[in-house]
C-alpha cells in the first residue's frame, strides 16, 4: 500500500520523461506518433490499475485513518517532510483523477488535437497527472503548494499550443489568475507553518488551530482561501474559466473541469476547515454568500447563452455551468457541518464525472460540425441529434439530465446534501443567512434545469431533414470506450450513494472534530 501510493504519484513523471525519448524499434508500430500515444495510454492505464488496487486494499472499516502513508524528512531546517497518505476524503478524488486521465489518453490516441509534437502532448499530460495526483496525496503544506503549482505550466501549454481560437489569450488569462492567487496562498501557508512550527497537515489538523491565534487564523483563511477560490472557481474570481474552456482542446476541458477545479475545493476541506476553524467560522457566511451568488450567476449566464440568437458557444455554456455547480460545493463547505461537507465532496465527484462527459460530448460534436456555436448547430428547427445520431443524442440528453440533478443520478445527492447543510449550519453561524443561501441555491436548481433542457431541445430535437447537414456520425468505438465508464459511474453513484458517503462521512466527522474520531 505504501509503495502503491508513492508509485501513483511518481510514475507519471517517469512516464513523462520516457515519452520524450525515441521509441524502441520494436514498439514503434505504424509510426513514432502512434508509439508515443500508445505510451500515454499504457502509463495512465497502469496508474489507474494501481489506484484501483489501492482502493481495493484500503481498509474500508477505518476510512478516517490515513493509510498507505510515507513520512520522510526532507528539509530539516523548516521541518518539511515528504508525507503521503490517503483517507476517505482523498481516495475517491485520487481514483477519479486516475480514471479521467486514462480516458483522456485513450480518447487522444484516436483523436489527437491539432498541434505540435505528440511527444510533447503526452509528456505534458503525464506531468499534469502527477501534479493533480500529488495534490490529493500529500500531507505537508509546502508539498501541497508545490503540487498545486505543478499543474499550471502543463495546462498552460495544452491550452496555448493545442487549443482553438483565442488560445493564447485564454492561456495567459488562466496562468495569470491562478499564479496571482497562488502567491497569496503561499503567504498564508507559510504563516501557518512558521506560527505553529510545523507544516504537517495531520499534526495541524489534530491541533485544530489551538496553536494559532485568532488573527493568524483570519489572515491565513483570507490568503489561502483567495488562492483556492481562484482555482475552484468562485464568483467573482471565475472569469478565466469560460475563456480557458472555450479555447482548450477537448481533453484539456475534461481535465480542467473534472480534476483541476477539485483541487481548490479539496484545499478548503483538507486545510482550512480543520487547521483554521475559528477563521473559517468568521468567513463562512461570506463564503456562503459568494457561493449562492455564483449558483444563480452561472445559471443565468447559461440561460443567456442558450437563448436563440445569442450565438452561445456550448463549451462556454458548460464552463459557466461549472461556476454554478461549484457554488453548491462551496455552500456545503461554508455550512461547516458533516452533512454539508459530505455533500460538497459528493458533488465534487459527481461534477467531475458528469461535466467530464459533457465536455467529451461537446468536443465530439464540435469535431463533427466544425463549430460549438449553438445557433449554428440548431439552425431553424434544431440539430436533430435524436434523428441523425440517436446514440449520441441519447448520451447528450443523459449527461444534461444528470447535470441538472435528476434523482437517481450522481448530480442529485451532492447538491441536496449541500442545501441540507445550509438549512442547519454549524453552531455559531447565522441560520437566517444560510436559510437565505439555501433558498437562492434551490432557485438555482430550477434555473439549471431550464437552461439544460433548452440545450437538449435545441441540439437533440428538430427536423433531421432540415438544413445542409444530413449525415452526422454516431458514437464511434473509441468514444464508446471513453464515455461508458463515466455513464456507468454516474448511475452507480446516483443509485448507491452509500458507496461514496461511507468513505467520506467518517473522515469528515473526524476532520470537523479536530482530528478526534
Amino acid at each position: 500500500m505504501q509503495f502503491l501510493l508513492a508509485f501513483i504519484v511518481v510514475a507519471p513523471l517517469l512516464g513523462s520523461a520516457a515519452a520524450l525519448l525515441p521509441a524502441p524499434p520494436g514498439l514503434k508500430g505504424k509510426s513514432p506518433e502512434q508509439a508515443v500515444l500508445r505510451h500515454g495510454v499504457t502509463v495512465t492505464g497502469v496508474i489507474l490499475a494501481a489506484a484501483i488496487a489501492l482502493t481495493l486494499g484500503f481498509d474500508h472499516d477505518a476510512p478516517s485513518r490515513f493509510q498507505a502513508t510515507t513520512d520522510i524528512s526532507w528539509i530539516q531546517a523548516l521541518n518539511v517532510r515528504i508525507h503521503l497518505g490517503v483517507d476517505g476524503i482523498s481516495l475517491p478524488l485520487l481514483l477519479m483523477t486516475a480514471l479521467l486521465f486514462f480516458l483522456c489518453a485513450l480518447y487522444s490516441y484516436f483523436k489527437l488535437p491539432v498541434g505540435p509534437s505528440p511527444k510533447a502532448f503526452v509528456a505534458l499530460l503525464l506531468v499534469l497527472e502527477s501534479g493533480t495526483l500529488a495534490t490529493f496525496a500529500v500531507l505537508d503544506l509546502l508539498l501541497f503548494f508545490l503540487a498545486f503549482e505543478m499543474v499550471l505550466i502543463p495546462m498552460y501549454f495544452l491550452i496555448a499550443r493545442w487549443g482553438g481560437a483565442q488560445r493564447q489569450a485564454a492561456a495567459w488569462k488562466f496562468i495569470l489568475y491562478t499564479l496571482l492567487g497562488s502567491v497569496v496562498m503561499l503567504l498564508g501557508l507559510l504563516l501557518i507553518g512558521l506560527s505553529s512550527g510545523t507544516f504537517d497537515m495531520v499534526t495541524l489538523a489534530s491541533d485544530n488551530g489551538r496553536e494559532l491565534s485568532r488573527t493568524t487564523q483570519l489572515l491565513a483563511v483570507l490568503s489561502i482561501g483567495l488562492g483556492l477560490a481562484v482555482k475552484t472557481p468562485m464568483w467573482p474570481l471565475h472569469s478565466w474559466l469560460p475563456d480557458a474552456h472555450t479555447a482548450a482542446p477537448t481533453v484539456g476541458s475534461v481535465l480542467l473541469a473534472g480534476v483541476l477545479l477539485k483541487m481548490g475545493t479539496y484545499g478548503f476541506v483538507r486545510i482550512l476547515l480543520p487547521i483554521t476553524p475559528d477563521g473559517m467560522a468568521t468567513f463562512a457566511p461570506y463564503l456562503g454568500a459568494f457561493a449562492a451568488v455564483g449558483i444563480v450567476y452561472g445559471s443565468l449566464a447559461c440561460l443567456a447563452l442558450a437563448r436563440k440568437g445569442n450565438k452561445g458557444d456550448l463549451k462556454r455554456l458548460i464552463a459557466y455551468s461549472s461556476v454554478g455547480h461549484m457554488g453548491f460545493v462551496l455552500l456545503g463547505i461554508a455550512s461547516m457541518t458533516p452533512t454539508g461537507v459530505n455533500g460538497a465532496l459528493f458533488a465534487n465527484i459527481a461534477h467531475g464525472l458528469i461535466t467530464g462527459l459533457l465536455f467529451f460530448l461537446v468536443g465530439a460534436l464540435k469535431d463533427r460540425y466544425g463549430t460549438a456555436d449553438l445557433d449554428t448547430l440548431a439552425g431553424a428547427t434544431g440539430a436533430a441529434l435524436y434523428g441523425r445520431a440517436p446514440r449520441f443524442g441519447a448520451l447528450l440528453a443523459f449527461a444534461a439530465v444528470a447535470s441538472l440533478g435528476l434523482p437517481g443520478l450522481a448530480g442529485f445527492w451532492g447538491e441536496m446534501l449541500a442545501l441540507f447543510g445550509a438549512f442547519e449550519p454549524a453552531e455559531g453561524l447565522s441560520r437566517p443567512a444560510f436559510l437565505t443561501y439555501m433558498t437562492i441555491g434551490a432557485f438555482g436548481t430550477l434555473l439549471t434545469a431550464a437552461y439544460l433542457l433548452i440545450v437538449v431541445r435545441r441540439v437533440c430535437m428538430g427536423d433531421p431533414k432540415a438544413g445542409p447537414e444530413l449525415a452526422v456520425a454516431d458514437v464511434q468505438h473509441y468514444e464508446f470506450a471513453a464515455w461508458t465508464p463515466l455513464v456507468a459511474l454516474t448511475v452507480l453513484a446516483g443509485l448507491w450513494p452509500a458507496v461514496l458517503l461511507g468513505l467520506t462521512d467518517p473522515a469528515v466527522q473526524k476532520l470537523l472534530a479536530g482530528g478526534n474520531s
Side-chain angles (χ1 to χ4, degrees), residues 41-84:
V41 175
T42 303
V43 173
T44 54
V46 170
I47 300 301
L48 175 60
I52 293 172
L54 181 70
T55 304
L56 294 175
F58 187 83
D59 184 358
H60 291 261
D61 293 327
S64 62
R65 176 172 57 86
F66 284 104
Q67 301 179 36
T69 55
T70 299
D71 193 0
I72 304 169
S73 178
W74 184 33
I75 306 174
Q76 291 187 356
L78 294 176
N79 197 20
V80 177
R81 309 184 67 80
I82 299 176
H83 193 181
L84 306 176

Side-chain angles (χ1 to χ4, degrees), residues 410-458:
F412 171 73
W413 295 104
E415 294 182 2
M416 183 193 70
L417 291 172
L419 293 176
F420 280 174
F423 179 76
E424 195 72 56
E427 187 179 349
L429 299 181
S430 170
R431 190 167 185 234
F434 275 86
L435 285 175
T436 304
Y437 305 153
M438 183 199 73
T439 305
I440 295 172
F443 177 65
T445 62
L446 300 178
L447 296 176
T448 302
Y451 72 73
L452 285 168
L453 292 176
I454 289 172
V455 168
V456 170
R457 177 174 59 81
R458 299 193 66 197

Side-chain angles (χ1 to χ4, degrees), residues 69-433:
T69 55
T70 299
D71 193 0
I72 304 169
S73 178
W74 184 33
I75 306 174
Q76 291 187 356
L78 294 176
N79 197 20
V80 177
R81 309 184 67 80
I82 299 176
H83 193 181
L84 306 176
V86 289
D87 64 352
I89 292 172
S90 53
L91 182 64
L93 289 166
L94 198 79
L95 186 60
M96 183 182 71
T97 299
L99 172 65
L100 286 175
F101 271 94
F102 170 70
L103 297 180
C104 285
L106 181 64
Y107 186 85
S108 299
Y109 179 80
F110 295 96
K111 194 70 178 178
L112 182 68
V114 177
S117 163
K119 282 190 173 187
F121 178 83
V122 172
L124 288 169
L125 198 69
L126 292 175
V127 171
L128 185 65
E129 181 176 25
S130 181
T132 51
L133 289 169
T135 301
F136 301 130
V138 298
L139 297 173
D140 183 276
L141 291 179
L142 288 188
L143 279 183
F144 176 86
F145 177 78
L146 292 176
F148 198 83
E149 294 303 285
M150 185 176 167
V151 305
L152 298 185
I153 299 302
M155 182 53 75
Y156 166 81
F157 281 110
L158 286 175
I159 296 172
R161 302 304 298 275
W162 284 270
Q166 305 295 321
R167 59 183 182 268
Q168 292 288 349
W172 273 110
K173 198 170 185 179
F174 160 75
I175 202 163
L176 286 176
Y177 262 78
T178 48
L179 273 179
L180 288 173
S182 298
V183 169
V184 181
M185 185 175 76
L186 177 60
L187 296 176
L189 295 174
L190 290 173
L191 178 63
I192 290 176
L194 297 176
S195 299
S196 61
T198 181
F199 289 95
D200 187 79
M201 291 157 70
V202 179
T203 303
L204 289 166
S206 299
D207 184 67
N208 204 217
R210 285 183 285 270
E211 290 292 324
L212 301 173
S213 68
R214 178 175 173 79
T215 303
T216 300
Q217 289 197 37
L218 290 174
L219 290 173
V221 170
L222 189 61
S223 55
I224 298 172
L226 187 64
L228 296 174
V230 171
K231 186 66 73 73
T232 297
M234 181 185 77
W235 179 90
L237 303 173
H238 68 284
S239 60
W240 62 270
L241 184 71
D243 292 339
H245 270 307
T246 305
T250 297
V251 294
S253 293
V254 171
L255 296 174
L256 189 58
V259 180
L260 267 69
L261 304 191
K262 311 303 174 286
M263 295 165 63
T265 51
Y266 175 76
F268 276 103
V269 174
R270 178 63 76 204
I271 297 173
L272 295 185
L273 279 178
I275 296 175
T276 56
D278 294 338
M280 267 300 289
T282 300
F283 283 106
Y286 303 102
L287 180 62
F290 284 124
V293 173
I295 292 169
V296 175
Y297 172 84
S299 299
L300 290 176
C302 290
L303 271 174
L305 289 169
R307 285 182 59 188
K308 189 174 182 179
N310 281 2
K311 292 289 183 182
D313 187 285
L314 267 179
K315 290 187 75 176
R316 196 173 190 85
L317 185 148
I318 298 170
Y320 273 111
S321 78
S322 292
V323 176
H325 288 305
M326 299 312 287
F328 283 101
V329 176
L330 290 173
L331 181 60
I333 293 169
S335 73
M336 298 184 69
T337 62
T339 301
V341 176
N342 274 305
L345 294 170
F346 199 105
N348 254 346
I349 299 297
H351 179 265
L353 297 173
I354 297 167
T355 308
L357 177 60
L358 276 170
F359 274 118
F360 266 135
L361 290 165
V362 172
L365 196 63
K366 187 175 181 178
D367 289 336
R368 284 160 168 78
Y369 279 95
T371 180
D373 179 81
L374 190 53
D375 285 343
T376 305
L377 289 171
T381 66
L385 280 187
Y386 286 152
R388 295 173 178 169
R391 289 188 291 274
F392 197 103
L395 274 174
L396 185 61
F398 170 84
V401 297
S403 185
L404 65 82
L406 185 74
L409 298 176
F412 171 73
W413 295 104
E415 294 182 2
M416 183 193 70
L417 291 172
L419 293 176
F420 280 174
F423 179 76
E424 195 72 56
E427 187 179 349
L429 299 181
S430 170
R431 190 167 185 234

